Amino acid sequence: MHQRIRLALATAASVALTGGLLTLTAGPAQAAPAVPLAASDADFNGDGYADVAVSAGGATVAGRSGAGAVTVIYGGATGNRYASHSQNSAGVPGSAEKNDYFGSDTAYGDFDNDGYDDLAVGARGEDVGSDTDGGTAVILWGSASGLKGGSTIQDPRPTQHDGFGRALEAGDFTGDGKDDLAIASGTYVTIDVLRGGFKRTGAPAARSTVAPNIYGGDKAGVWNLHSGDLNGDKREDLIVNGYSKEDDFNSNYWLPGTSSGVTTNGAQKLPTGTITDVGDTDGDGYGDIVFGIDWDSGIPESQKGGKVLIAKGTASGPAYGERQSFSQSTPGVPGTSETEDFFGTEIDLGDINGDGHLDLAIGVPGEDLTGGREQGAVTILYGAADGSGISAEGSVAFNQDTPGVPNTSETGDYFGLDIHVDDLNGDGRGDVVVGAYGENDFNGAVYPLRSQANGTFTASGGVYPSAVGVSTAGRPGFGHNMSD
Protein backbone atom coordinates (compact mmCIF):
# COMPACT_ATOMS: atom_id res chain seq x y z
CA MET A 1 0.00 0.00 0.00
CA HIS A 2 2.23 -0.77 1.47
CA GLN A 3 3.40 2.67 2.94
CA ARG A 4 6.24 4.43 4.60
CA ILE A 5 5.53 7.39 6.91
CA ARG A 6 7.21 9.82 4.59
CA LEU A 7 9.01 13.10 5.06
CA ALA A 8 6.08 14.94 3.51
CA LEU A 9 4.03 14.49 6.65
CA ALA A 10 6.81 15.96 8.78
CA THR A 11 6.65 19.24 6.88
CA ALA A 12 4.04 21.91 7.38
CA ALA A 13 2.30 20.70 4.26
CA SER A 14 -1.20 21.98 3.59
CA VAL A 15 -3.85 21.45 0.95
CA ALA A 16 -7.16 23.20 0.46
CA LEU A 17 -10.23 21.32 -0.69
CA THR A 18 -13.75 22.65 -0.64
CA GLY A 19 -15.21 19.27 0.33
CA GLY A 20 -17.38 16.99 -1.77
CA LEU A 21 -16.19 14.95 -4.74
CA LEU A 22 -14.48 16.42 -7.79
CA THR A 23 -14.23 14.29 -10.93
CA LEU A 24 -12.28 15.26 -14.05
CA THR A 25 -12.16 13.12 -17.17
CA ALA A 26 -9.40 12.93 -19.76
CA GLY A 27 -10.87 11.14 -22.78
CA PRO A 28 -14.12 9.20 -23.23
CA ALA A 29 -15.23 6.11 -21.30
CA GLN A 30 -13.23 3.08 -22.35
CA ALA A 31 -14.11 -0.50 -23.20
CA ALA A 32 -12.55 -3.29 -21.13
CA PRO A 33 -8.89 -3.96 -22.00
CA ALA A 34 -7.81 -7.04 -23.88
CA VAL A 35 -5.13 -7.81 -21.28
CA PRO A 36 -6.44 -8.78 -17.82
CA LEU A 37 -5.42 -6.87 -14.72
CA ALA A 38 -2.51 -8.10 -12.66
CA ALA A 39 -3.60 -9.52 -9.33
CA SER A 40 -1.76 -6.72 -7.56
CA ASP A 41 -3.57 -3.88 -9.36
CA ALA A 42 -6.48 -2.04 -7.72
CA ASP A 43 -9.72 -1.66 -9.69
CA PHE A 44 -12.25 0.42 -7.76
CA ASN A 45 -14.85 0.65 -10.56
CA GLY A 46 -14.54 -2.83 -12.07
CA ASP A 47 -13.78 -1.62 -15.60
CA GLY A 48 -10.66 -3.77 -15.96
CA TYR A 49 -8.19 -0.88 -15.81
CA ALA A 50 -5.86 -0.35 -12.87
CA ASP A 51 -6.54 2.56 -10.52
CA VAL A 52 -4.17 4.31 -8.08
CA ALA A 53 -5.03 6.22 -4.88
CA VAL A 54 -2.75 9.18 -4.16
CA SER A 55 -2.59 10.71 -0.67
CA ALA A 56 -2.22 14.24 0.56
CA GLY A 57 -2.37 13.34 4.23
CA GLY A 58 -1.34 16.83 5.36
CA ALA A 59 -3.96 18.55 3.23
CA THR A 60 -5.93 21.57 4.39
CA VAL A 61 -9.66 21.03 3.87
CA ALA A 62 -12.11 23.91 4.24
CA GLY A 63 -9.49 25.92 6.10
CA ARG A 64 -8.49 23.12 8.47
CA SER A 65 -4.78 22.41 8.14
CA GLY A 66 -3.65 18.81 8.11
CA ALA A 67 -7.16 17.45 7.62
CA GLY A 68 -6.05 15.26 4.71
CA ALA A 69 -7.38 14.07 1.38
CA VAL A 70 -7.06 11.21 -1.14
CA THR A 71 -7.25 11.43 -4.94
CA VAL A 72 -7.92 8.41 -7.16
CA ILE A 73 -6.40 8.14 -10.63
CA TYR A 74 -8.78 5.91 -12.61
CA GLY A 75 -7.03 4.16 -15.49
CA GLY A 76 -8.26 4.03 -19.10
CA ALA A 77 -7.06 3.11 -22.58
CA THR A 78 -6.36 6.67 -23.71
CA GLY A 79 -6.75 8.84 -20.63
CA ASN A 80 -7.33 8.99 -16.91
CA ARG A 81 -10.17 10.21 -14.69
CA TYR A 82 -9.60 11.76 -11.28
CA ALA A 83 -11.70 11.92 -8.13
CA SER A 84 -10.79 13.52 -4.79
CA HIS A 85 -12.15 12.56 -1.38
CA SER A 86 -11.91 14.09 2.08
CA GLN A 87 -13.89 13.71 5.27
CA ASN A 88 -16.08 16.53 3.98
CA SER A 89 -17.03 14.49 0.90
CA ALA A 90 -20.55 13.09 0.68
CA GLY A 91 -20.80 9.63 2.22
CA VAL A 92 -17.35 9.71 3.88
CA PRO A 93 -17.60 9.27 7.67
CA GLY A 94 -16.49 12.07 9.97
CA SER A 95 -15.64 15.64 9.13
CA ALA A 96 -12.46 17.40 8.13
CA GLU A 97 -10.62 18.64 11.22
CA LYS A 98 -7.19 20.07 11.91
CA ASN A 99 -4.40 17.46 11.91
CA ASP A 100 -6.59 14.42 11.23
CA TYR A 101 -4.15 13.36 8.48
CA PHE A 102 -6.84 11.53 6.51
CA GLY A 103 -4.98 9.51 3.88
CA SER A 104 -1.71 9.31 5.80
CA ASP A 105 -1.85 5.64 4.84
CA THR A 106 -4.12 3.62 2.55
CA ALA A 107 -4.62 0.00 1.49
CA TYR A 108 -6.88 -1.56 -1.11
CA GLY A 109 -8.74 -4.86 -1.37
CA ASP A 110 -12.21 -6.23 -2.00
CA PHE A 111 -13.17 -6.22 1.66
CA ASP A 112 -16.88 -6.99 1.21
CA ASN A 113 -16.30 -9.52 -1.61
CA ASP A 114 -18.64 -7.78 -4.11
CA GLY A 115 -16.19 -7.77 -7.05
CA TYR A 116 -15.03 -4.16 -6.62
CA ASP A 117 -11.87 -3.15 -4.83
CA ASP A 118 -12.38 -0.88 -1.83
CA LEU A 119 -9.98 1.60 -0.24
CA ALA A 120 -9.11 1.59 3.47
CA VAL A 121 -7.97 5.04 4.61
CA GLY A 122 -6.22 5.85 7.88
CA ALA A 123 -6.58 9.16 9.73
CA ARG A 124 -4.03 8.72 12.50
CA GLY A 125 -4.62 12.14 14.09
CA GLU A 126 -8.40 11.94 14.35
CA ASP A 127 -9.81 13.05 17.72
CA VAL A 128 -12.59 10.65 18.67
CA GLY A 129 -14.55 12.12 21.55
CA SER A 130 -12.07 12.57 24.40
CA ASP A 131 -9.53 10.28 22.70
CA THR A 132 -7.16 12.98 21.41
CA ASP A 133 -5.14 11.68 18.47
CA GLY A 134 -6.87 8.33 18.95
CA GLY A 135 -7.00 7.88 15.19
CA THR A 136 -9.53 6.23 12.95
CA ALA A 137 -9.80 4.16 9.79
CA VAL A 138 -12.58 4.07 7.23
CA ILE A 139 -13.39 1.99 4.17
CA LEU A 140 -14.45 3.77 0.98
CA TRP A 141 -16.53 1.27 -0.99
CA GLY A 142 -15.90 0.41 -4.64
CA SER A 143 -18.73 0.47 -7.17
CA ALA A 144 -19.35 0.66 -10.91
CA SER A 145 -18.85 4.42 -10.66
CA GLY A 146 -15.77 4.17 -8.45
CA LEU A 147 -15.33 4.79 -4.75
CA LYS A 148 -18.66 5.77 -3.26
CA GLY A 149 -19.67 6.14 0.38
CA GLY A 150 -17.80 4.79 3.35
CA SER A 151 -17.92 3.17 6.77
CA THR A 152 -15.90 3.62 9.96
CA ILE A 153 -13.91 0.69 11.34
CA GLN A 154 -14.36 0.41 15.10
CA ASP A 155 -11.28 1.27 17.15
CA PRO A 156 -10.87 -1.54 19.74
CA ARG A 157 -8.87 0.76 22.07
CA PRO A 158 -10.86 3.99 22.05
CA THR A 159 -9.08 5.66 24.99
CA GLN A 160 -5.41 4.97 24.22
CA HIS A 161 -4.51 8.11 22.18
CA ASP A 162 -2.53 5.69 20.02
CA GLY A 163 -3.03 6.87 16.44
CA PHE A 164 -5.19 3.95 15.29
CA GLY A 165 -4.94 3.70 11.49
CA ARG A 166 -1.33 4.85 11.28
CA ALA A 167 -0.38 1.86 9.03
CA LEU A 168 -2.68 -0.31 6.91
CA GLU A 169 -2.18 -3.40 4.75
CA ALA A 170 -4.56 -5.71 2.92
CA GLY A 171 -3.94 -9.38 2.15
CA ASP A 172 -5.60 -12.79 2.18
CA PHE A 173 -3.85 -13.94 5.33
CA THR A 174 -6.06 -17.03 5.83
CA GLY A 175 -6.15 -18.26 2.22
CA ASP A 176 -9.96 -18.27 2.10
CA GLY A 177 -10.14 -16.10 -1.03
CA LYS A 178 -11.25 -12.96 0.84
CA ASP A 179 -9.19 -9.84 1.45
CA ASP A 180 -8.36 -9.18 5.10
CA LEU A 181 -7.14 -5.89 6.57
CA ALA A 182 -4.31 -5.31 9.07
CA ILE A 183 -4.37 -2.04 11.02
CA ALA A 184 -1.55 -0.72 13.22
CA SER A 185 -1.39 2.20 15.60
CA GLY A 186 1.24 4.88 16.06
CA THR A 187 2.48 4.07 19.56
CA TYR A 188 0.82 0.74 20.32
CA VAL A 189 2.50 -2.52 19.29
CA THR A 190 -0.65 -4.64 18.82
CA ILE A 191 -1.83 -5.02 15.22
CA ASP A 192 -5.52 -5.68 14.57
CA VAL A 193 -6.17 -8.19 11.78
CA LEU A 194 -9.72 -7.98 10.44
CA ARG A 195 -11.11 -10.96 8.54
CA GLY A 196 -12.51 -10.35 5.04
CA GLY A 197 -16.22 -10.46 4.38
CA PHE A 198 -16.86 -7.01 5.85
CA LYS A 199 -20.38 -5.70 6.25
CA ARG A 200 -21.20 -2.25 4.97
CA THR A 201 -21.29 -1.13 8.61
CA GLY A 202 -17.51 -1.57 8.63
CA ALA A 203 -17.70 -4.71 10.77
CA PRO A 204 -15.31 -7.53 9.75
CA ALA A 205 -16.21 -11.22 9.69
CA ALA A 206 -13.83 -11.70 12.64
CA ARG A 207 -11.06 -9.86 14.47
CA SER A 208 -7.75 -11.05 15.93
CA THR A 209 -4.56 -9.38 17.15
CA VAL A 210 -0.85 -9.98 16.81
CA ALA A 211 2.08 -8.26 18.57
CA PRO A 212 5.57 -8.46 17.00
CA ASN A 213 8.79 -7.95 18.99
CA ILE A 214 9.07 -4.19 18.44
CA TYR A 215 8.97 -1.15 20.68
CA GLY A 216 5.87 0.88 21.36
CA GLY A 217 5.83 4.27 23.07
CA ASP A 218 8.46 6.75 21.94
CA LYS A 219 9.88 4.27 19.43
CA ALA A 220 6.46 4.77 17.81
CA GLY A 221 5.23 1.19 17.40
CA VAL A 222 4.60 -0.06 13.87
CA TRP A 223 5.98 2.14 11.12
CA ASN A 224 4.99 0.17 8.07
CA LEU A 225 3.15 -2.96 6.91
CA HIS A 226 3.39 -5.04 3.75
CA SER A 227 2.13 -8.46 2.63
CA GLY A 228 2.91 -11.33 0.29
CA ASP A 229 3.20 -15.11 0.18
CA LEU A 230 6.84 -15.89 0.93
CA ASN A 231 6.49 -19.61 1.74
CA GLY A 232 4.19 -20.63 -1.11
CA ASP A 233 1.31 -21.87 1.09
CA LYS A 234 -1.31 -19.74 -0.75
CA ARG A 235 -1.73 -17.52 2.29
CA GLU A 236 -0.29 -14.04 2.39
CA ASP A 237 2.13 -13.23 5.18
CA LEU A 238 2.56 -9.90 6.99
CA ILE A 239 5.81 -7.91 6.98
CA VAL A 240 5.98 -5.55 9.97
CA ASN A 241 8.46 -2.69 10.25
CA GLY A 242 9.47 -1.03 13.53
CA TYR A 243 12.28 -0.69 16.06
CA SER A 244 13.31 -4.16 17.19
CA LYS A 245 13.62 -4.99 20.88
CA GLU A 246 16.39 -7.41 19.90
CA ASP A 247 18.95 -4.85 18.76
CA ASP A 248 17.27 -1.41 18.89
CA PHE A 249 17.56 -0.94 15.12
CA ASN A 250 14.80 -0.38 12.64
CA SER A 251 13.97 -3.88 11.43
CA ASN A 252 11.33 -5.96 9.68
CA TYR A 253 9.59 -9.07 10.95
CA TRP A 254 8.02 -11.83 8.87
CA LEU A 255 4.76 -13.01 10.46
CA PRO A 256 3.32 -16.06 8.64
CA GLY A 257 -0.26 -16.26 7.49
CA THR A 258 -2.23 -19.31 8.63
CA SER A 259 -5.75 -20.69 8.24
CA SER A 260 -6.69 -18.76 11.37
CA GLY A 261 -4.84 -15.57 10.48
CA VAL A 262 -1.47 -13.92 11.06
CA THR A 263 0.71 -15.41 13.79
CA THR A 264 4.00 -14.71 15.56
CA ASN A 265 4.67 -18.48 15.71
CA GLY A 266 7.64 -19.04 13.41
CA ALA A 267 8.19 -15.30 12.98
CA GLN A 268 11.59 -14.26 11.66
CA LYS A 269 13.54 -11.05 12.17
CA LEU A 270 14.62 -9.59 8.83
CA PRO A 271 16.96 -6.78 7.75
CA THR A 272 16.24 -3.13 8.26
CA GLY A 273 14.59 -0.97 5.60
CA THR A 274 11.41 0.98 6.21
CA ILE A 275 9.91 0.11 2.84
CA THR A 276 9.47 -3.39 1.43
CA ASP A 277 7.73 -5.17 -1.43
CA VAL A 278 7.05 -8.83 -2.12
CA GLY A 279 6.87 -10.68 -5.44
CA ASP A 280 8.08 -13.85 -7.11
CA THR A 281 11.05 -12.36 -8.95
CA ASP A 282 12.55 -15.69 -10.05
CA GLY A 283 9.43 -17.73 -10.89
CA ASP A 284 9.99 -20.46 -8.30
CA GLY A 285 6.54 -20.11 -6.71
CA TYR A 286 7.77 -18.30 -3.60
CA GLY A 287 7.47 -14.57 -3.01
CA ASP A 288 10.77 -12.76 -2.60
CA ILE A 289 11.06 -9.73 -0.34
CA VAL A 290 12.69 -6.50 -1.46
CA PHE A 291 14.08 -4.12 1.16
CA GLY A 292 14.69 -0.44 0.48
CA ILE A 293 17.60 0.70 2.66
CA ASP A 294 18.18 4.39 2.02
CA TRP A 295 20.48 5.26 4.96
CA ASP A 296 24.05 6.31 4.21
CA SER A 297 25.54 4.85 7.40
CA GLY A 298 24.96 3.98 11.02
CA ILE A 299 22.76 0.90 10.77
CA PRO A 300 23.30 -2.68 9.57
CA GLU A 301 23.40 -3.03 5.76
CA SER A 302 23.54 0.75 5.19
CA GLN A 303 25.62 2.08 2.32
CA LYS A 304 26.44 5.55 1.06
CA GLY A 305 23.65 6.62 -1.25
CA GLY A 306 21.34 3.76 -0.25
CA LYS A 307 20.67 0.31 -1.68
CA VAL A 308 18.06 -2.42 -2.08
CA LEU A 309 18.29 -6.05 -0.97
CA ILE A 310 16.25 -8.97 -2.29
CA ALA A 311 15.86 -12.02 -0.02
CA LYS A 312 14.52 -15.20 -1.60
CA GLY A 313 11.35 -16.89 -0.41
CA THR A 314 11.37 -20.61 0.43
CA ALA A 315 8.97 -23.20 1.84
CA SER A 316 10.12 -22.19 5.32
CA GLY A 317 9.92 -18.45 4.69
CA PRO A 318 12.46 -15.82 3.68
CA ALA A 319 16.05 -17.00 3.23
CA TYR A 320 18.15 -13.98 4.06
CA GLY A 321 21.35 -15.80 3.10
CA GLU A 322 20.07 -16.16 -0.48
CA ARG A 323 19.98 -12.54 -1.49
CA GLN A 324 20.80 -9.95 -4.11
CA SER A 325 22.06 -6.43 -3.48
CA PHE A 326 21.86 -3.42 -5.79
CA SER A 327 23.04 0.17 -5.47
CA GLN A 328 24.26 2.88 -7.78
CA SER A 329 27.71 1.35 -7.30
CA THR A 330 26.57 -1.99 -8.77
CA PRO A 331 27.98 -2.57 -12.27
CA GLY A 332 25.27 -1.86 -14.83
CA VAL A 333 23.12 0.33 -12.53
CA PRO A 334 23.05 3.94 -13.75
CA GLY A 335 24.46 6.72 -11.59
CA THR A 336 26.93 6.97 -8.74
CA SER A 337 26.35 6.32 -5.05
CA GLU A 338 26.46 9.71 -3.32
CA THR A 339 25.57 10.84 0.17
CA GLU A 340 21.84 11.42 0.63
CA ASP A 341 20.77 10.06 -2.76
CA PHE A 342 18.22 7.97 -0.83
CA PHE A 343 18.34 5.16 -3.38
CA GLY A 344 15.61 2.76 -2.21
CA THR A 345 13.44 5.29 -0.36
CA GLU A 346 10.57 3.79 -2.36
CA ILE A 347 10.33 0.56 -4.36
CA ASP A 348 7.67 -1.29 -6.29
CA LEU A 349 7.58 -4.49 -8.32
CA GLY A 350 5.66 -4.94 -11.58
CA ASP A 351 6.06 -6.14 -15.16
CA ILE A 352 7.08 -2.87 -16.79
CA ASN A 353 8.21 -4.24 -20.17
CA GLY A 354 5.48 -6.86 -20.52
CA ASP A 355 7.78 -9.88 -20.86
CA GLY A 356 6.13 -11.86 -18.06
CA HIS A 357 8.88 -11.22 -15.49
CA LEU A 358 8.72 -8.83 -12.56
CA ASP A 359 10.82 -5.67 -12.77
CA LEU A 360 11.82 -3.35 -9.93
CA ALA A 361 11.22 0.42 -9.85
CA ILE A 362 13.38 2.29 -7.35
CA GLY A 363 12.89 5.86 -6.16
CA VAL A 364 16.01 8.00 -5.74
CA PRO A 365 14.43 11.25 -4.49
CA GLY A 366 17.66 12.80 -3.17
CA GLU A 367 19.54 12.49 -6.48
CA ASP A 368 21.45 15.67 -7.33
CA LEU A 369 21.43 16.53 -11.02
CA THR A 370 23.14 19.24 -13.02
CA GLY A 371 22.50 22.70 -11.61
CA GLY A 372 20.63 21.74 -8.45
CA ARG A 373 20.10 19.48 -5.48
CA GLU A 374 17.57 16.82 -4.54
CA GLN A 375 15.78 16.97 -7.88
CA GLY A 376 15.25 13.20 -7.75
CA ALA A 377 15.26 10.29 -10.18
CA VAL A 378 13.90 6.79 -10.74
CA THR A 379 15.87 3.65 -11.59
CA ILE A 380 14.35 0.58 -13.29
CA LEU A 381 15.96 -2.84 -12.86
CA TYR A 382 14.45 -5.46 -15.19
CA GLY A 383 13.77 -9.11 -14.56
CA ALA A 384 16.26 -11.33 -16.36
CA ALA A 385 15.04 -12.84 -19.61
CA ASP A 386 15.75 -16.35 -18.31
CA GLY A 387 13.50 -15.75 -15.29
CA SER A 388 16.36 -16.01 -12.79
CA GLY A 389 15.46 -12.79 -10.98
CA ILE A 390 16.11 -9.07 -10.97
CA SER A 391 19.20 -8.06 -12.95
CA ALA A 392 21.28 -4.92 -13.42
CA GLU A 393 21.64 -5.72 -17.11
CA GLY A 394 19.80 -3.20 -19.27
CA SER A 395 18.73 -1.10 -16.28
CA VAL A 396 17.71 2.49 -16.93
CA ALA A 397 17.29 5.72 -14.99
CA PHE A 398 15.15 8.75 -15.74
CA ASN A 399 14.30 12.12 -14.26
CA GLN A 400 12.25 15.16 -15.21
CA ASP A 401 14.80 16.14 -17.84
CA THR A 402 14.35 12.80 -19.64
CA PRO A 403 12.32 12.94 -22.89
CA GLY A 404 8.75 11.79 -22.25
CA VAL A 405 8.77 12.87 -18.59
CA PRO A 406 6.79 16.08 -17.92
CA ASN A 407 8.24 19.26 -16.42
CA THR A 408 11.91 19.89 -15.64
CA SER A 409 14.19 18.86 -12.78
CA GLU A 410 14.38 21.54 -10.08
CA THR A 411 16.01 21.71 -6.68
CA GLY A 412 13.84 20.11 -4.00
CA ASP A 413 11.37 18.33 -6.32
CA TYR A 414 12.10 14.94 -4.67
CA PHE A 415 10.96 13.17 -7.84
CA GLY A 416 10.68 9.48 -6.89
CA LEU A 417 9.71 9.97 -3.22
CA ASP A 418 6.87 7.58 -4.00
CA ILE A 419 6.54 5.24 -6.94
CA HIS A 420 3.97 2.72 -8.06
CA VAL A 421 3.76 0.27 -10.99
CA ASP A 422 0.27 -0.36 -12.45
CA ASP A 423 -1.01 -1.15 -15.94
CA LEU A 424 -3.25 1.91 -16.30
CA ASN A 425 -4.16 1.39 -19.96
CA GLY A 426 -4.45 -2.40 -20.19
CA ASP A 427 -1.67 -2.95 -22.74
CA GLY A 428 0.11 -5.60 -20.67
CA ARG A 429 2.96 -3.32 -19.57
CA GLY A 430 3.14 -1.83 -16.10
CA ASP A 431 3.09 1.95 -16.17
CA VAL A 432 5.27 3.83 -13.68
CA VAL A 433 3.46 6.39 -11.52
CA VAL A 434 5.92 8.75 -9.83
CA GLY A 435 5.29 11.19 -6.98
CA ALA A 436 7.27 14.41 -6.61
CA TYR A 437 5.97 15.89 -3.37
CA GLY A 438 8.36 18.88 -3.50
CA GLU A 439 7.25 20.01 -6.96
CA ASN A 440 6.38 23.72 -7.22
CA ASP A 441 7.39 24.64 -3.66
CA PHE A 442 5.79 21.53 -2.16
CA ASN A 443 2.51 21.79 -3.99
CA GLY A 444 3.44 18.32 -5.17
CA ALA A 445 2.68 16.40 -8.35
CA VAL A 446 2.19 12.87 -9.66
CA TYR A 447 3.40 11.70 -13.07
CA PRO A 448 1.71 8.65 -14.66
CA LEU A 449 4.28 7.48 -17.22
CA ARG A 450 3.00 5.02 -19.84
CA SER A 451 5.45 2.22 -20.65
CA GLN A 452 6.09 1.78 -24.36
CA ALA A 453 7.11 -1.36 -26.25
CA ASN A 454 10.53 0.17 -27.07
CA GLY A 455 11.34 0.69 -23.38
CA THR A 456 10.64 4.42 -23.26
CA PHE A 457 7.91 6.26 -21.35
CA THR A 458 5.35 8.80 -22.50
CA ALA A 459 2.97 11.08 -20.63
CA SER A 460 0.30 13.57 -21.60
CA GLY A 461 1.25 15.62 -18.52
CA GLY A 462 1.45 15.52 -14.78
CA VAL A 463 -1.36 15.42 -12.24
CA TYR A 464 -1.17 18.63 -10.23
CA PRO A 465 -3.22 19.70 -7.20
CA SER A 466 -5.18 22.30 -9.18
CA ALA A 467 -6.17 19.61 -11.71
CA VAL A 468 -7.91 17.57 -9.01
CA GLY A 469 -9.55 20.39 -7.09
CA VAL A 470 -6.79 20.89 -4.53
CA SER A 471 -5.84 24.50 -3.82
CA THR A 472 -2.17 25.37 -4.09
CA ALA A 473 -2.40 27.69 -1.09
CA GLY A 474 0.20 26.61 1.42
CA ARG A 475 2.24 23.50 0.69
CA PRO A 476 0.02 20.55 -0.25
CA GLY A 477 2.81 17.99 -0.78
CA PHE A 478 0.47 16.07 -3.11
CA GLY A 479 1.84 12.63 -4.06
CA HIS A 480 3.76 11.76 -0.91
CA ASN A 481 2.05 8.34 -0.70
CA MET A 482 0.17 5.96 -3.00
CA SER A 483 -2.06 2.98 -2.30
CA ASP A 484 -0.43 -0.42 -2.23
Side-chain angles (χ1 to χ4, degrees):
M1 40 219 301
H2 71 350
Q3 287 64 36
R4 173 177 187 165
I5 304 299
R6 294 177 175 79
L7 178 62
L9 289 184
T11 67
S14 60
V15 177
L17 292 175
T18 58
L21 174 67
L22 175 75
T23 299
L24 303 176
T25 302
Q30 306 297 331
V35 179
L37 275 171
S40 60
D41 292 347
D43 186 4
F44 301 121
N45 57 2
D47 66 353
Y49 294 99
D51 308 318
V52 180
V54 179
S55 293
T60 295
V61 179
R64 295 171 176 83
S65 61
V70 175
T71 297
V72 177
I73 301 173
Y74 289 98
T78 59
N80 302 319
R81 180 171 65 90
Y82 312 102
S84 294
H85 307 260
S86 76
Q87 287 183 290
N88 280 3
S89 298
V92 178
S95 59
E97 299 166 320
K98 183 178 180 179
N99 295 339
D100 280 349
Y101 303 117
F102 179 82
S104 53
D105 200 11
T106 59
Y108 63 81
D110 184 4
F111 301 121
D112 59 354
N113 208 35
D114 68 349
Y116 297 100
D117 279 325
D118 313 302
L119 185 69
V121 183
R124 60 181 175 84
E126 178 89 18
D127 296 340
V128 184
S130 61
D131 190 14
T132 303
D133 294 333
T136 192
V138 304
I139 296 177
L140 305 183
W141 302 107
S143 72
S145 58
L147 296 180
K148 185 177 181 181
S151 303
T152 299
I153 298 171
Q154 182 182 1
D155 182 354
R157 293 169 295 278
T159 63
Q160 295 296 314
H161 315 298
D162 59 354
F164 180 72
R166 189 243 187 102
L168 309 172
E169 181 65 12
D172 182 5
F173 303 120
T174 63
D176 65 357
K178 298 178 182 179
D179 288 326
D180 310 313
L181 178 63
I183 304 179
S185 303
T187 59
Y188 202 72
V189 173
T190 297
I191 300 168
D192 296 285
V193 183
L194 311 182
R195 183 74 66 87
F198 283 72
K199 296 179 180 179
R200 284 297 179 104
T201 61
R207 183 189 295 262
S208 61
T209 61
V210 64
N213 194 26
I214 62 174
Y215 285 108
D218 291 341
K219 294 292 180 68
V222 176
W223 284 96
N224 191 32
L225 297 171
H226 204 85
S227 62
D229 182 7
L230 276 77
N231 58 4
D233 66 355
K234 310 304 180 185
R235 302 181 183 100
E236 291 191 78
D237 312 312
L238 190 64
I239 310 298
V240 182
N241 175 262
Y243 277 84
S244 171
K245 292 181 179 179
E246 297 179 44
D247 57 16
D248 204 29
F249 285 112
N250 175 285
S251 297
N252 294 285
Y253 281 87
W254 172 65
L255 277 56
T258 72
S259 59
S260 57
V262 177
T263 180
T264 55
N265 293 331
Q268 291 186 29
K269 182 178 177 294
L270 302 171
T272 190
T274 55
I275 190 70
T276 59
D277 200 6
V278 177
D280 185 0
T281 63
D282 55 6
D284 64 357
Y286 302 106
D288 308 312
I289 184 168
V290 186
F291 303 88
I293 304 174
D294 63 4
W295 290 274
D296 291 306
S297 61
I299 63 168
E301 300 289 356
S302 59
Q303 174 181 321
K304 185 174 75 170
K307 69 178 180 182
V308 297
L309 291 178
I310 304 176
K312 300 298 184 180
T314 71
S316 57
Y320 180 51
E322 300 179 37
R323 59 176 177 159
Q324 296 176 281
S325 177
F326 298 95
S327 72
Q328 288 181 295
S329 297
T330 301
V333 176
T336 303
S337 293
E338 302 161 318
T339 300
E340 295 185 351
D341 277 347
F342 304 124
F343 183 90
T345 285
E346 186 58 67
I347 53 178
D348 203 28
L349 290 163
D351 185 4
I352 296 169
N353 59 5
D355 67 352
H357 304 299
L358 286 178
D359 310 310
L360 178 61
I362 303 170
V364 197
E367 184 76 60
D368 296 342
L369 305 171
T370 302
R373 288 181 54 81
E374 297 163 340
Q375 294 104 314
V378 171
T379 299
I380 307 294
L381 306 183
Y382 292 100
D386 62 3
S388 58
I390 300 298
S391 170
E393 183 177 354
S395 58
V396 298
F398 59 84
N399 56 61
Q400 288 182 279
D401 295 328
T402 302
V405 181
N407 218 320
T408 57
S409 294
E410 301 162 313
T411 292
D413 278 349
Y414 297 105
F415 181 82
L417 182 77
D418 201 9
I419 190 167
H420 202 59
V421 179
D422 272 317
D423 184 6
L424 296 173
N425 60 354
D427 65 358
R429 295 184 294 272
D431 304 306
V432 181
V433 186
V434 183
Y437 94 108
E439 186 72 67
N440 298 327
D441 194 23
F442 296 95
N443 288 341
V446 172
Y447 300 98
L449 307 177
R450 299 293 177 97
S451 302
Q452 304 301 305
N454 63 0
T456 63
F457 298 89
T458 63
S460 58
V463 182
Y464 301 98
S466 57
V468 294
V470 177
S471 171
T472 55
R475 289 184 163 186
F478 178 74
H480 72 84
N481 193 15
M482 300 182 210
S483 58
D484 197 25

